[in-house]
Amino acid sequence: MSPQDLGSLPIIDTDAVARGMDPLDLVARLREGHREGVQGLDRSYLVERRGEEAERGLLVWPAWQHGRALGAKLVTIFPDSETRGLGPNIRSVYVLFDGENGAPLAVMTGESFTRLKTAADSALGASYLAREDARHLVVLGAGAQARAQIRFLRAVRPSIARLSVWNRTPVKAEDLARELGREGIQAAAVEDRAAAVRDADIVSCITAAQTPVLEGAWLRSGTHVDLVGGFTPSMRESDDAAILKSRIFVDHQALVSAHCGDIADPLVRGIIGPDAIEGDLFDLCRGTVQGRKTADEITLFKNGGGGHLDLMAAMAFYEVRGDAPLG
């Protein structure tokens, strides 16, 4: 491709596209994407360790759906950026290619890309695993992802009538609850996360915790647990008790088992065996495994992300913007 052609490559602002995107539409596109399958997938993660400070990272997620599209997302994770007033902790760019001739189709920028993909991933899991009458959503973590997570979980479970928000820094939970309240959502910041979880129907953990913020002893019958934040083997949002008392599902079995501490760590230590994971989103969407079976069981979904999800989201953003259907 010539420099002139590259110069005309569209740059899609996913923040602008997202404002007109129905959460249920993106969830439906991910559901169909899992039914169709992705034939190529990989992951690369580079880090800069800085003494006592949280490590900085570069994450690269390539994926390929043969005959339709392929692409890669590049993500920088700089945990100190926001606290230093240098912008968001996580930034990303996605490059989408045509699956028939390999030509680049678009570059996608904007914070909405990863946030909406992540939220749609969890919402798709919840559509199979959370009780249909779930009313109380508890969110542990009030960072940038929390708002999208709430929006998408409420879309697939419109029965949710009450929100409780906890954060290590209470003022962030208070700010988020206040913003949601102005939108007519019944939301409250809480300091006692144990008490909130004991009354929850859905618990969504969206933290960068290295030690658990969720204990299995707090979970009541019928709760659905959505683990979002941990993406390395050293990160744990839930303790072993939460894992042991739940029916476990993941978004991608091989990736989560290898890279996400909430599942990888108990596997390595022999707390659970590989057969403890009952299925992933490919299984759930294709109907080869059953999601929630009873109202009383505790279900747990580990959202590990992955290039296959990024590719599905990129295809959705491309087509929703009005470009020609892929493939």
Side-chain angles (χ1 to χ4, degrees):
M1 175 171 275
S2 69
Q4 290 80 8
D5 292 332
L6 285 172
S8 64
L9 192 66
I11 298 177
I12 298 175
D13 178 2
T14 59
D15 292 338
V17 178
R19 285 192 283 272
M21 181 177 280
D22 184 341
L24 292 178
D25 180 40
L26 185 55
V27 172
R29 287 170 180 268
L30 260 62
R31 192 189 314 275
E32 186 58 31
H34 283 86
R35 289 171 178 165
E36 294 173 352
V38 171
Q39 292 75 41
L41 180 63
D42 207 342
R43 178 187 194 267
S44 177
Y45 186 55
L46 306 179
V47 300
E48 176 193 3
R49 294 183 173 86
R50 299 166 55 83
E52 297 299 317
E53 298 179 33
E55 66 184 27
R56 295 172 173 177
L58 170 64
L59 181 63
V60 183
W61 277 119
W64 195 329
Q65 190 178 77
H66 293 172
R68 289 197 67 196
L70 62 154
K73 186 174 75 171
L74 292 85
V75 187
T76 56
I77 303 104
F78 278 51
D80 57 334
S81 285
E82 192 170 329
T83 56
R84 295 166 59 205
L86 300 178
N89 294 345
I90 299 176
R91 305 173 193 256
S92 68
V93 62
Y94 195 92
V95 184
L96 181 67
F97 298 85
D98 189 285
E100 285 294 329
N101 59 22
L105 294 173
V107 174
M108 301 187 187
T109 64
E111 298 175 22
S112 294
F113 184 90
T114 295
R115 290 179 188 170
L116 267 62
K117 178 269 297 185
T118 301
D121 184 26
S122 285
L124 182 56
S127 72
Y128 292 101
L129 301 173
R131 294 198 332 268
E132 293 188 2
D133 63 349
R135 294 185 57 79
H136 185 197
L137 169 61
V138 173
V139 177
L140 304 184
Q145 182 63 38
R147 176 175 285 279
Q149 211 71 13
I150 291 166
R151 178 187 175 201
F152 275 71
L153 288 172
R154 292 181 72 229
V156 296
R157 286 295 179 265
S159 56
I160 293 172
R162 182 162 63 100
L163 280 161
S164 297
V165 184
W166 172 89
N167 195 74
R168 290 188 188 277
T169 307
V171 68
K172 292 188 70 174
E174 293 164 5
D175 289 345
L176 178 57
R178 191 177 303 113
E179 290 175 18
L180 294 169
R182 286 197 289 265
E183 297 173 13
I185 300 170
Q186 185 180 340
V190 297
E191 294 188 13
D192 188 344
R193 68 179 185 274
V197 170
R198 289 189 178 102
D199 188 54
D201 299 309
I202 301 175
V203 181
S204 185
C205 298
I206 322 167
T207 73
Q210 301 288 317
T211 57
V213 295
L214 174 68
E215 296 185 16
W218 304 338
L219 296 171
R220 67 174 179 174
S221 298
T223 302
H224 172 59
V225 177
D226 172 42
L227 300 179
V228 183
F231 60 92
T232 72
S234 65
M235 301 173 81
R236 288 292 302 265
E237 293 190 291
S238 62
D239 66 0
D240 290 344
I243 299 296
L244 286 169
K245 71 191 302 183
S246 303
R247 292 183 63 214
I248 303 170
F249 297 84
V250 299
D251 53 11
H252 189 290
Q253 190 144 342
L255 291 173
V256 169
S257 297
H259 299 296
C260 299
D262 283 288
I263 304 299
D265 181 50
L267 282 171
V268 168
R269 293 187 293 114
I271 302 299
I272 59 173
D275 58 351
I277 303 172
E278 297 195 27
D280 61 18
L281 279 181
F282 294 96
D283 299 316
L284 289 168
C285 292
R286 293 168 179 168
T288 56
V289 299
Q290 184 177 348
R292 176 169 288 273
K293 296 178 179 178
T294 71
D296 294 334
E297 66 191 4
I298 297 171
T299 55
L300 182 147
F301 178 75
K302 177 54 195 144
N303 179 332
H308 61 300
L309 296 162
D310 294 315
L311 178 60
M312 294 173 197
M315 293 164 67
F317 275 110
Y318 185 78
E319 295 181 342
V320 165
R321 199 188 74 131
D323 294 282
L326 292 159

